[in-house]
């Protein structure tokens, strides 16, 4: 019986073995058993994945670990010791940041940025430390401006009321086209800085305005001289300049406090030229870009910070007079109580008592509201005094902002330890700057209160909510002109929102644009792990997913915030979620499912499992997600065993089709993807994908930074291209030393100016061979004007068992054979394409862009009827469809 089938597309992706009997499932006929180093086109075809361009070796190195599959759903996956983070200032200025153990490096236009001092380099600035005077510098002191030396060893630039204060130095003896780096420290105010080939010009480093902090700027010398120039033009300010240095430059690098084991848990949020960075063990930091080569990393200076009432731990023992009761006497081993401690709570070992009277500095009367375990003395530091002083507070003034005022209590309540604390009352915030007596202190107005007298019980004494003891926020996001932080060690369910339009102001208030704090209501500790703004602010925790919005669908405010649970799948503690259009994509607990939280009409938010059809790919566990949005839409998931799962993700077409990327050398345990990110491409044609690949090359392990490039067909590749000058010896391949590489070369007579716009004859003349890199060098057999050198990888596509339509029902269990196989190929050029083990001649493939391969020899009788298509050489391959002409046994044949 002759039957015919045609698989028209592969938009079902690589499918789990659990679906191999589901011929009734709508996506079965569009799936594949194997899509290795291939990617599904949204239009249906499946193509060989792009190769990668080698950019640089990462600073971090580690002993290579072969694939390590998880043994249980909650086993922690191995951590990479690098993390790639995108920093997109605009589509023309996009960077990749390499986070490693204790450092950040920067890449742009597929090159590392230069800006660190060369170790041991000669200092080129004269008297940059200002230890004795300002000699060596030319001073500008116009219209009353003054530049003076301070005995502390700094230069003081003071412009006066309307003047200018500046200083410059010409540095000579530079080498043209060499890179140099300038470093300096600024204190007290804003300073303008620039570097030019002559005084008054800024053609090497454009004139920048920089605030207090440590800075570095690098430039390429355009001659033998560079003039460093510093200016203060802000009237009434005094700026201190110190530690000016200039030396030869190396790769730009900033130091960080983050260990390799902490990189996976980092959370970032970019706003314009500032990247906020969070980890629970470190104060929030911000990375700021002043120019292409001027970056600073510093702690966020919150003004004011997030605060909360924090308990005291008095340095004294405490003896309860009873374990329960009213009017019980507690005795302290030292004078620690003040009159205004009335109504504060004493807590220890589950016991809670409210102070009703202060008899003396060592004795209080309390009402016990939760029993204490015994009347034995409680050790110093093992009990706390919670709450705020209970006394009337009088302020000497309520404005202006930053004014130092007197603070007076009508009963003793201040302690010297209160310095640095914050008073909240009458919608104002005052920072305590000094304590004079237990009833008098001084403070700085950070937010103006509505009055000057605050009755007892209407104000609180607070400390910074984020500290080494309580932990720092582990999550950060930005939405609706607010910066959000969440999840400290002490308060893992709490969300803090900044003042609207004032991102570093976390002083709480009641006005709509004030900062606020909100704690999720849950029956269990539900640690917040990510925040993503979609139509609402979506909150992902270890146990659930929530949406947050203001009342009446308006923006979130201190008095209007509605948080609603949406699902209870829970997120893995480390991989961050990502935003994909109107959806949040996150990794479920256990790392084996990737879910899409999206708003569905009439049913609210639903968290669909995007990996359900390809669950076998994800059994190793997901360590990181990324997304490409242009020109095609993809999701990328790095797996702990070194592969990368890639989904063609186009919801409008109902396409979520997964395939596997395996870096060259993965099967031999010599390569593993460890990190991924995407940024706009340098040519403006869409997004480009960057990966950190752990490789063992020539017996040496290291991490390579690489970029996928659709023009390449090898991994970790470099390209020589010069139509006017051929080459027979290629050097500079040290990153491939000792490895067998694929070499693609184009002879001079077939070259053209268009780098990859080759016609049919030119494609046919691109020659391929393999060789071994020795001392970073390979020798070509003949002259070539374009050469690609990289590591080889293969593409493999294997169809599912076809369901052949027959009058007598399914043919799955019947033996069958195909007399003819058709494979429709598109732009599949070069050697190496095999269909069912048969090699397709190169000239046939390249006769036209669309080629129908027809194999007359049958597959033989079997029950599978599957076809395997491979590309074993570094050339393109795209399969549009597979057709069969079947003969099916009637049950009597084998």
């Amino acid at each position: 019986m002759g039957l015919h089938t045609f698989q028209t597309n592969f938009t079902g992706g690589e499918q789990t073995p659990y679906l191999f009997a589901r011929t009734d499932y709508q996506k079965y006929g569009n799936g594949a058993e194997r899509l290795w180093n291939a990617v599904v086109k949204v239009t249906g075809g499946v193509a060989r994945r792009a190769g990668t361009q080698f950019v640089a070796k990462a600073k971090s190195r580690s002993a290579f670990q072969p694939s390590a599959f998880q043994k249980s759903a909650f086993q922690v996956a191995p951590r990479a010791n690098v993390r790639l983070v995108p920093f997109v200032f605009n589509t023309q200025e996009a960077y990749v940041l390499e986070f490693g153990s204790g450092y950040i490096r920067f890449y742009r236009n597929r090159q590392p940025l230069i800006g660190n001092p060369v170790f041991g380099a000669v200092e080129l600035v004269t008297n940059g430390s200002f230890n004795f005077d300002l000699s060596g510098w030319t001073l500008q002191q116009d219209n009353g401006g003054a530049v003076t030396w301070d005995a502390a060893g700094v230069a003081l630039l003071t412009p006066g009321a309307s003047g200018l204060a500046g200083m410059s130095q010409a540095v000579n003896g530079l080498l043209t086209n060499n890179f140099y780096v300038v470093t300096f420290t600024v204190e007290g105010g804003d300073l303008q800085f620039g570097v030019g080939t002559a005084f008054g010009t800024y053609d090497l480093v454009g004139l920048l305005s920089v605030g207090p902090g440590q800075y570095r700027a690098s430039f390429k010398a355009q001659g033998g001289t560079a003039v460093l120039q510093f200016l203060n033009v802000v009237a009434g300010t005094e700026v201190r300049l110190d530690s000016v240095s200039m030396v030869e430059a190396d790769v730009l690098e900033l130091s960080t406090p983050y260990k390799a084991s902490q990189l996976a848990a980092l959370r970032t949020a970019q706003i314009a030229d500032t990247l906020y960075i969070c980890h629970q063990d470190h104060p929030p930091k911000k990375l700021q870009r002043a120019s292409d080569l001027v970056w600073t990393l510093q702690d966020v200076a919150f003004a004011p910070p997030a605060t909360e009432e924090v308990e005291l731990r008095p340095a004294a023992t405490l003896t309860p007079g009873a374990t329960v009761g009213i009017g019980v006497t507690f005795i302290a081993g030292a004078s620690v109580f003040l009159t205004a401690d009335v109504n504060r709570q004493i807590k220890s070992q589950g016991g809670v008592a409210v102070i009703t009277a202060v008899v003396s500095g060592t004795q209080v009367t309390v009402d016990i509201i939760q029993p204490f375990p015994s009347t034995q003395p409680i050790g110093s530091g093992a009990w706390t005094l919670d709450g705020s002083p209970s006394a009337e507070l009088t302020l000497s003034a309520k404005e202006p902002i930053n004014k130092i005022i007197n603070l007076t209590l009508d009963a003793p309540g201040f302690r010297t330890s209160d310095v640095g604390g914050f008073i909240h009352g009458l919608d104002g915030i005052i920072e305590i700057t000094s304590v004079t007596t237990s009833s008098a202190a001084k403070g700085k107005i950070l937010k103006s209160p509505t009055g000057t007298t605050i009755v007892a019980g209407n104000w609180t004494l607070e400390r910074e909510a984020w500290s080494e003891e309580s932990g720092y926020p582990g999550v950060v996001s930005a939405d609706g002109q607010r910066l959000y932080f969440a999840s400290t060690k002490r308060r893992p369910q709490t969300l803090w929102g900044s003042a609207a339009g004032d991102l570093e102001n976390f002083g709480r208030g009641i006005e709509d644009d004030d900062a606020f704090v909100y704690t999720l209501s849950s029956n269990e500790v539900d640690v917040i792990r990510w925040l993503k703004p979609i139509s609402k602010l979506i909150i992902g925790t270890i146990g659930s997913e929530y949406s947050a919005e203001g009342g009446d669908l308006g923006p979130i405010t201190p008095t209007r915030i509605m948080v609603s649970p949406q699902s209870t799948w829970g997120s893995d503690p480390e991989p961050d979620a990502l935003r994909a259009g109107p959806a949040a994509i996150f990794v479920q607990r256990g790392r084996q499912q990737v879910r899409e939280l999206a708003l569905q009409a009439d049913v609210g938010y639903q968290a669909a499992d995007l990996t359900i059809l390809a669950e076998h790919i994800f059994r190793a566990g997901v360590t990181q997600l990324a997304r490409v949005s242009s020109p095609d839409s993809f999701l990328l998931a790095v797996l702990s065993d070194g592969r990368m799962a890639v989904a063609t993700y186009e919801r409008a077409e109902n396409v979520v089709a997964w395939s596997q990327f395996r870096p060259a050398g993965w099967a031999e345990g010599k390569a593993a993807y460890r990190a991924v990110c995407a940024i706009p491409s340098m040519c403006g044609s869409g997004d480009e994908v960057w990966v950190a690949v752990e490789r063992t090359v020539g017996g040496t392990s290291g991490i390579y930074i690489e970029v996928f490039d659709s023009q390449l067909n090898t991994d970790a590749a470099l390209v020589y291209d010069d139509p006017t000058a051929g080459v027979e010896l290629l050097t500079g391949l040290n990153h491939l030393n000792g490895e067998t590489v694929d070499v693609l070369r184009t002879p001079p007579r077939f070259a053209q100016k268009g780098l990859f716009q080759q016609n049919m004859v030119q494609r046919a003349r691109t020659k391929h061979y393999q060789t071994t890199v020795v001392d970073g060098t390979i020798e070509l057999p003949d002259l070539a004007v374009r050469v690609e050198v990289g590591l080889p990888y293969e593409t493999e596509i294997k169809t599912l068992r076809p369901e052949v339509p027959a009058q007598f029902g399914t043919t799955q269990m019947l033996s069958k054979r195909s007399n003819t196989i058709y494979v429709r190929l598109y732009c599949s050029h070069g050697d190496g394409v095999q269909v069912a083990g048969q090699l397709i001649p190169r000239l046939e493939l390249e006769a036209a862009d669309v080629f129908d391969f027809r194999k007359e020899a049958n597959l033989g009788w079997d029950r599978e009827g599957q076809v395997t298509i491979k590309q074993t050489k570094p050339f393109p391959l795209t399969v549009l469809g597979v057709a069969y002409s079947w003969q099916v046994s009637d049950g009597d044949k084998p």
Side-chain angles (χ1 to χ4, degrees):
M1 179 185 299
L3 301 171
H4 304 278
T5 60
F6 186 31
Q7 180 167 348
T8 62
N9 65 81
F10 292 85
T11 55
E14 182 175 324
Q15 297 189 0
T16 171
Y18 289 121
L19 283 175
F20 285 1
R22 288 294 310 274
T23 60
D24 61 325
Y25 186 63
Q26 59 179 347
K27 289 186 176 291
Y28 181 91
N30 303 331
E33 179 177 324
R34 189 174 296 165
L35 295 176
W36 291 356
N37 284 326
V39 63
V40 178
K41 299 290 187 180
V42 70
T43 49
V46 59
R48 175 179 168 88
R49 73 159 171 88
T52 61
Q53 175 187 332
F54 173 75
V55 176
K57 286 187 179 181
K59 179 181 180 181
S60 293
R61 289 182 175 273
S62 68
F64 182 80
Q65 298 175 351
S67 58
F69 287 84
Q70 290 178 226
K71 294 181 180 178
S72 71
F74 296 96
Q75 181 178 334
V76 176
R79 290 186 175 94
N81 59 355
V82 297
R83 171 93 177 267
L84 300 182
V85 175
F87 186 103
V88 182
F89 183 67
N90 56 49
T91 54
Q92 284 75 45
E93 295 175 283
Y95 306 83
V96 168
L97 313 182
E98 174 197 323
F99 279 73
S101 182
Y103 75 90
I104 307 173
R105 285 185 170 180
F106 304 80
Y107 299 89
R108 184 186 174 200
N109 294 338
R110 303 190 184 182
Q111 293 181 341
L113 298 185
I114 304 299
N116 255 44
V118 171
F119 180 75
V122 176
E123 176 60 60
L124 300 175
V125 169
T126 300
N127 188 25
S129 58
F130 310 119
N131 288 332
F132 304 104
D133 52 30
L134 302 180
S135 61
W137 292 85
T138 301
L139 308 183
Q140 290 175 272
Q141 305 174 92
D142 302 334
N143 298 327
V147 181
T148 57
W149 175 77
D150 186 277
V154 298
L156 300 179
L157 289 81
T158 310
S162 59
L164 176 149
M167 54 194 302
S168 61
Q169 183 175 139
V171 180
N172 300 310
L174 308 186
L175 299 177
T176 300
N177 293 327
N178 273 23
F179 282 90
Y180 296 86
V181 58
V182 181
T183 58
F184 57 93
T185 299
V186 176
E187 297 178 352
D190 292 344
L191 193 65
Q192 292 185 334
F193 162 73
V195 182
T197 51
F199 178 78
T201 67
Y202 308 101
D203 48 339
L204 299 178
V205 176
L207 191 63
L208 302 169
S209 179
V210 296
Q214 296 179 333
Y215 294 89
R216 67 182 63 192
S218 59
F219 64 90
K220 183 187 290 187
Q222 301 301 311
T225 300
V227 182
L228 313 185
Q229 300 163 78
F230 299 91
L231 300 169
N232 184 1
V233 296
V234 181
T237 64
E238 180 182 80
V239 178
R240 303 161 69 87
L241 175 66
D242 196 9
S243 304
V244 182
S245 171
M246 177 175 159
V247 296
E248 285 190 75
D250 202 344
V251 175
L252 177 62
E253 183 178 302
L254 295 181
S255 296
T256 78
Y258 309 119
K259 302 175 182 177
S261 60
Q262 297 173 331
L263 299 178
L266 291 181
R267 296 291 186 267
T268 62
Q270 186 183 343
I271 302 171
D273 57 2
T274 300
L275 184 75
Y276 291 92
I277 308 169
C278 272
H279 189 279
Q280 283 189 343
D281 293 336
H282 303 283
K285 290 187 174 291
K286 61 180 180 181
L287 176 70
Q288 290 184 292
R289 170 194 177 276
S291 75
D292 206 29
L293 296 174
V294 180
W295 300 75
T296 59
L297 180 69
Q298 54 194 342
D299 289 347
V300 181
F302 296 105
T307 60
E308 62 183 357
E309 283 187 292
V310 178
E311 72 275 0
L312 298 175
R313 292 186 178 270
T317 59
L318 182 69
T319 304
T323 59
V324 297
I326 304 297
V328 178
T329 297
F330 277 29
I331 303 295
S335 181
V336 294
F337 295 113
L338 298 174
T339 305
D341 288 338
V342 171
N343 294 327
R344 281 184 148 177
Q345 293 184 344
I346 295 174
K347 296 181 179 179
S348 179
Q349 297 175 306
V352 180
V354 178
I355 299 174
T356 57
V358 177
V359 179
S360 69
T362 59
Q363 181 178 334
V364 293
T365 303
V366 303
D367 292 342
I368 299 176
I369 58 177
Q370 293 185 26
F372 284 75
S374 74
T375 58
Q376 294 297 312
I378 303 170
S380 174
W383 63 281
T384 63
L385 189 62
D386 293 9
S388 298
S390 183
E392 183 175 275
L393 174 64
T394 301
L395 314 177
S396 62
K398 64 177 183 178
E399 55 188 5
I401 298 295
N402 293 326
K403 179 180 177 64
I404 302 297
I405 62 173
N406 295 319
L407 312 172
T408 306
L409 297 178
D410 68 352
F414 287 133
R415 294 174 168 84
T416 56
S417 60
D418 293 334
V419 174
F422 299 84
I423 291 173
H424 283 246
L426 297 182
D427 200 30
I429 304 174
I430 295 102
E431 181 180 5
I432 299 175
T433 56
S434 64
V435 172
T436 307
T437 69
S438 59
S439 299
K442 290 185 180 294
K444 181 169 66 173
I445 300 174
L446 301 182
K447 183 183 179 188
S448 295
T450 57
T452 57
T453 301
I454 313 176
V455 300
N458 281 5
W459 61 278
T460 56
L461 177 58
E462 304 186 6
R463 285 282 182 179
E464 291 193 36
W466 309 328
S467 66
E468 184 174 356
E469 180 182 2
S470 60
Y472 299 100
V475 179
V476 63
S477 186
D479 180 42
Q481 295 187 313
R482 291 187 193 270
L483 188 63
Y484 292 98
F485 290 99
S487 190
T488 64
K489 293 177 182 177
R490 177 180 289 173
R491 300 180 66 177
Q493 298 173 245
T494 298
L495 173 71
W496 288 269
S498 74
D502 192 356
L503 301 181
E504 297 174 11
N505 176 353
F506 280 79
R508 300 189 315 277
I510 59 174
E511 300 298 326
D512 284 355
D513 58 353
D514 280 337
F516 70 90
V517 60
Y518 181 89
T519 300
L520 298 179
S521 176
S522 175
N523 294 329
E524 57 186 29
V525 177
D526 212 1
V527 181
I528 297 174
R529 293 311 301 137
W530 53 266
L531 303 168
K532 298 298 171 187
I534 307 179
S535 57
K536 303 176 184 179
L537 180 66
I538 305 300
I539 304 170
T541 74
I542 287 180
S544 303
E545 292 74 50
Y546 301 84
S547 65
E549 61 183 330
D552 300 325
L553 302 180
I556 295 173
T557 72
T559 58
R560 294 184 303 176
I561 179 170
M562 298 172 58
V563 176
S564 305
Q566 300 297 334
S567 62
T568 55
W569 297 108
S571 296
D572 195 87
E574 287 193 341
D576 195 6
L578 57 83
R579 179 178 176 177
I585 310 296
F586 66 95
V587 179
Q588 186 180 329
R589 289 193 311 271
R591 303 194 181 194
Q592 295 189 13
Q593 288 85 29
V594 177
R595 290 192 174 272
E596 172 194 59
L597 188 70
L599 187 62
Q600 304 293 329
D602 302 326
V603 294
Y605 282 92
Q606 299 291 304
D609 183 357
L610 297 180
T611 57
I612 192 168
L613 301 186
E615 57 77 32
H616 65 295
I617 297 177
F618 297 88
R619 293 171 189 171
V622 178
T623 62
Q624 190 187 355
L625 294 176
R627 186 195 176 211
V628 175
S629 59
S630 175
D632 298 311
S633 177
F634 297 103
L635 299 179
L636 305 104
V638 177
L639 306 175
S640 65
D641 66 356
R643 295 170 299 135
M644 186 159 62
V646 178
T648 303
Y649 176 79
E650 192 62 64
R651 271 308 189 189
E653 300 295 331
N654 194 31
V655 175
V656 180
W658 291 99
S659 61
Q660 298 184 43
F661 284 12
R662 302 176 170 207
W666 180 85
E668 296 79 33
K670 296 171 60 177
Y673 294 121
R674 292 304 185 205
V676 63
C677 78
I679 62 171
S681 69
M682 61 183 184
C683 59
S685 60
D687 294 338
E688 61 185 23
V689 177
W690 289 58
V691 285
V693 189
E694 192 168 10
R695 294 191 182 277
T696 297
V697 175
T700 301
S701 296
I703 293 181
Y704 288 20
I705 308 300
E706 302 175 19
V707 186
F708 282 96
D709 189 324
S710 61
Q711 311 288 4
L712 302 176
N713 275 283
T714 59
D715 277 354
L718 289 179
V719 173
Y720 171 87
D721 184 56
D722 187 347
T724 63
V727 66
E728 290 184 292
L729 189 71
L730 281 178
T731 60
L733 297 168
N734 301 79
H735 70 292
L736 298 175
N737 265 341
E739 291 298 307
T740 298
V741 293
D742 275 339
V743 181
L744 287 169
R745 68 191 194 282
T746 302
R749 63 186 181 279
F750 296 108
Q752 62 183 39
K753 291 185 177 180
L755 184 58
F756 287 96
Q757 300 169 359
Q758 300 172 323
N759 60 33
M760 181 188 68
V761 174
Q762 290 166 328
R763 287 196 298 260
R765 295 298 182 258
T766 300
K767 299 180 179 181
H768 164 252
Y769 77 106
Q770 289 190 328
T771 189
T772 300
V773 178
V774 178
D775 294 330
T777 303
I778 63 169
E779 186 173 355
L780 304 180
D782 48 35
L783 195 67
V785 293
R786 183 188 183 278
V787 186
E788 175 187 336
V789 183
L791 298 171
Y793 64 91
E794 293 188 357
T795 295
E796 184 171 338
I797 302 162
K798 185 176 182 180
T799 64
L800 292 170
R801 287 185 176 188
E803 172 61 4
V804 182
Q807 293 180 349
F808 47 82
T810 182
T811 61
Q812 284 289 302
M813 71 292 218
L814 299 178
S815 293
K816 60 186 77 69
R817 69 177 180 180
S818 179
N819 291 328
T820 307
I821 298 173
Y822 291 91
V823 178
R824 181 159 293 165
L825 303 168
Y826 175 70
C827 287
S828 300
H829 307 129
D831 299 321
V833 177
Q834 299 177 9
V835 177
Q838 179 173 324
L839 185 67
I840 303 177
R842 178 174 183 172
L843 291 178
E844 290 184 19
L845 279 175
E846 294 175 345
D849 283 341
V850 177
F851 173 71
D852 284 341
F853 169 75
R854 177 180 178 182
K855 182 178 180 181
E856 295 291 350
N858 64 67
L859 292 175
W861 289 98
D862 63 30
R863 289 180 172 83
E864 283 74 25
Q866 294 171 278
V867 175
T868 299
I869 304 166
K870 291 184 178 181
Q871 173 54 281
T872 61
K873 299 292 179 63
F875 293 100
L877 167 70
T878 299
V879 178
L880 299 180
V882 180
Y884 309 84
S885 176
W886 294 106
Q887 286 184 312
V888 179
S889 74
D890 57 7
D892 297 329
K893 294 180 181 179

